Amino acid sequence: MTATGAEAASAGSSLVERVRAGELAAIARLLTELERLSPAAPKLIAEIAPFLGRAQVVGFTGPPGAGKSTLVNAYIGALRAAGKTVGVIAVDPSSPISGGALLGDRVRMNDHTDDDGVFIRSLASRGHVGGLTPAAVRMIDAFDAAGKDVVILETVGAGQSEIDVAQVADIRIVLNAPGLGDDIQAMKSGILDIADILVVNKADLAGADKTFSQLASAVALSSVKANTPVLKTVATKGEGIAELVAEVNAVAEGRSETAETRRRKRARRLLAWAAADLIEAQVRDRSDPRIDALCDNILNGRSSPEEAAKALFEAT
Amino acid sequence: MTLAQHDSFPPRVLVTKIGFDGHDRGSRIVASFLRDAGMEVIYTPPWQEISQVVRLALEEDVDVVGVSSLSTDHLLMPKLMKALDEAGLGHVKVVVGGIVPDEDEALLMDAGVSKVFHPGVGREEIVGGVAEYAAQARQLRSEELVT
Ligand SMILES: Nc1nc2c(ncn2[C@@H]2O[C@H](COP(=O)(O)OP(=O)(O)OP(=O)(O)O)[C@@H](O)[C@H]2O)c(=O)[nH]1
Ligand SMILES: [Mg+2]
């Protein structure tokens, strides 16, 4: 393969054939077509379908500045040393005001720019509260079709969005770092339930031990996830990365789901998100006497919002 | 999904620095006002090699590459233009911002650079220029068939 693979763009090969041959420009194009759900996308998705389900999808999420990109950078290094190829989707938030985005995750992943075995694409969240657009899910498939062994997903998250990323990654790593606010928040937001591995990054900083012991005791008290490993890392120095790799492998080995099951789960997630958006818009804006009646019931205490929602859902 | 929706995605712009000069205040300012103008800006550390800029432009599928140059780094631009072309990125538009002497500007334009923004140029002009080059790049790109 050449540096860019441009020469491989021989006349007659389809885009997906070029992707399968590892041509970087073709992978870039496929990512974009799927990201934007272009007119060509349905055909491309059908063409890549036979090649999907090989890649392991690892999600890194956590509050802004916790060191996600730096840790991903170090993790990529470990994967490369083990001979694995890597695709990265690095999501940063879009500005709700301008719609623009400053995509800066690559600043911390600069070690791998020259490596043909690593392909990094930055993605703007474009208003999706989850920080993870459905586009990211289609882009996982693009990397999978390109034969990447591991697809890494970096998303900023606090609370709900961390839970969203969890739904699409096979292995879910949730980062925290000392000095990023109340650790009780972490427990409230439900990350303990979704994390396969918890990481306290910036273990070189004061306060790391406190963050670590708070997380560890919260895990120990959790009824469902008492075995979740809690690790310390110093992403800037590569410390704790070998342990992280070992834990990821251990989690992966404990799984029995087939790739197809995982993909169907992801699709169901997308459907659930889209349905939630649709229902929200309908319930908020549609003029409908039935909805008005359910609102009356909520206001005068005859039913809880949950009961009213259930009645509405069952009626349609 | 309609074609109109497909075309309405924000311009993607790589803002970077090549060569030895590490002063990236200027490029940070430009990056943030392009973002505020609704663009998706991929930001990199300074000191990128030519091959790295090509690789970044390729992986990120950008429409425009903006190179900030304070010293003589702009003299590397003809090399960058050639490398982009060889990588099949002929549709990508390239602009340079910074201190570029007149005689060098001619050299850059000959090499295929779309525009040199000199110090003191207003942000409106930069935003307008980048948006227009991005639209041109998208147009060229969409003419490449996806088969
Ligand atoms: N002391 C110390 N600093 C670190 C460590 N890991 C990352 N940092 C620093 O923390 C800052 C943020 O790191 P990033 O990797 O950009 O964090 P992030 O979570 O990806 O940030 P966003 O994507 O903006 O949410 C940078 O200045 C890093 O150098 C660490 O282990 N120790
Ligand atoms: Mg980051």
Side-chain angles (χ1 to χ4, degrees):
Chain A
M1 199 182 347
T2 62
T4 63
E7 288 93 302
S10 52
S13 334
S14 71
L15 183 67
V16 171
E17 281 165 351
R18 289 161 55 207
V19 166
R20 296 290 298 159
E23 186 195 327
L24 300 181
I27 299 171
R29 185 69 188 258
L30 180 63
L31 285 165
T32 304
E33 297 292 325
L34 296 196
E35 178 209 347
R36 297 179 188 166
L37 208 58
S38 73
K43 180 175 164 284
L44 294 169
I45 290 170
E47 281 177 29
I48 61 175
F51 308 114
L52 300 182
R54 266 193 67 253
Q56 178 187 62
V57 184
V58 183
F60 287 76
T61 194
K68 297 178 293 295
S69 301
T70 314
L71 189 65
V72 166
N73 184 61
Y75 189 71
I76 296 170
L79 292 174
R80 295 299 293 143
K84 297 204 165 123
T85 57
V86 186
V88 180
I89 303 166
V91 186
D92 267 326
S94 298
S95 154
I97 298 161
S98 73
L102 205 51
L103 306 173
D105 289 324
R106 291 199 80 119
V107 171
R108 311 270 169 223
M109 300 182 194
N110 208 37
D111 290 356
H112 306 288
T113 310
D114 295 314
D115 182 352
D116 274 4
V118 180
F119 194 120
I120 302 172
R121 171 63 70 87
S122 309
L123 178 65
S125 65
R126 302 224 183 91
H128 269 263
V129 190
L132 180 75
T133 70
V137 177
R138 294 189 294 272
M139 292 162 82
I140 290 172
D141 285 347
F143 277 134
D144 195 1
K148 298 297 177 202
D149 298 313
V150 179
V151 180
I152 292 175
L153 203 55
E154 177 189 334
T155 59
V156 166
Q160 192 54 45
S161 53
E162 284 160 337
I163 293 168
D164 281 354
V165 69
Q167 321 271 6
V168 299
D170 301 328
I171 314 267
R172 304 164 281 233
I173 299 169
V174 177
L175 272 79
N176 217 322
L180 290 180
D182 188 353
D183 298 289
I184 301 299
Q185 254 170 336
M187 301 166 221
K188 275 199 302 206
S189 66
I191 58 164
L192 291 186
D193 298 340
I194 62 104
D196 294 306
I197 299 166
L198 286 163
V199 170
V200 177
N201 187 42
K202 306 197 186 183
D204 54 326
L205 296 186
D209 287 335
K210 187 166 158 252
T211 305
F212 180 85
S213 55
Q214 282 178 340
L215 267 178
S217 56
V219 166
L221 289 173
S222 156
S223 50
V224 271
K225 283 279 193 166
N227 297 323
T228 309
V230 187
L231 304 179
K232 282 189 207 172
T233 58
V234 183
T236 39
K237 296 190 193 126
E239 286 170 23
I241 305 305
E243 290 80 356
L244 179 60
V245 171
E247 288 296 350
V248 170
N249 289 339
V251 173
E253 273 163 28
R255 295 274 166 85
S256 55
E257 276 176 350
T258 65
E260 183 56 24
T261 310
R262 296 200 307 260
R263 289 196 60 238
R264 290 211 76 82
K265 263 194 180 169
R266 288 206 276 273
R268 204 171 255 259
R269 252 299 101 204
L270 292 184
L271 182 61
W273 277 330
D277 284 352
L278 192 71
I279 291 169
E280 160 154 20
Q282 296 260 336
V283 171
R284 206 183 40 218
D285 302 330
R286 204 169 61 179
S287 82
D288 181 334
R290 259 185 331 167
I291 293 176
D292 291 334
L294 289 168
C295 288
D296 288 339
N297 287 348
I298 293 171
L299 287 173
N300 57 35
R302 246 176 280 140
S303 58
S304 70
E306 291 73 21
E307 287 162 351
K310 210 163 162 230
L312 181 66
F313 193 70
E314 274 158 8
T316 47
Chain B
M1 184 87 23
T2 66
L3 203 62
Q5 268 173 299
H6 181 211
D7 282 342
S8 69
F9 287 92
R12 281 175 76 85
V13 185
L14 178 70
V15 172
T16 191
K17 282 184 72 66
I18 52 177
F20 296 108
D21 167 44
H23 297 91
D24 60 353
R25 211 178 95 85
S27 54
R28 276 169 190 269
I29 293 170
V30 172
S32 63
F33 72 63
L34 292 176
R35 189 263 319 263
D36 292 342
M39 302 188 194
E40 292 180 357
V41 182
I42 293 96
Y43 192 74
T44 80
W47 308 297
Q48 297 293 317
E49 310 265 348
I50 299 280
S51 64
Q52 291 177 317
V53 176
V54 171
R55 187 58 174 269
L56 290 161
L58 181 118
E59 287 187 357
E60 297 291 352
D61 200 356
V62 294
D63 306 301
V64 177
V65 174
V67 178
S68 144
S69 172
L70 285 180
S71 55
T72 56
D73 295 334
H74 62 269
L75 294 174
L76 293 167
M77 292 306 294
K79 255 176 118 175
L80 174 63
M81 299 308 294
K82 188 160 168 283
L84 284 169
D85 214 38
E86 284 170 1
L89 298 176
H91 62 279
V92 173
K93 300 290 171 189
V94 179
V95 301
V96 176
I99 303 159
V100 177
D102 287 349
E103 61 273 25
D104 292 350
E105 180 167 348
L107 183 91
L108 264 51
M109 301 306 280
D110 280 348
V113 169
S114 294
K115 179 86 182 174
V116 174
F117 294 111
H118 294 281
V121 172
R123 62 168 66 185
E124 237 113 280
E125 194 178 324
I126 297 178
V127 166
V130 170
E132 190 187 316
Y133 299 128
Q136 289 172 13
R138 267 291 151 97
Q139 184 58 39
L140 287 170
R141 183 79 148 86
S142 70
E143 284 161 12
E144 273 171 42
L145 223 57
V146 177
T147 54

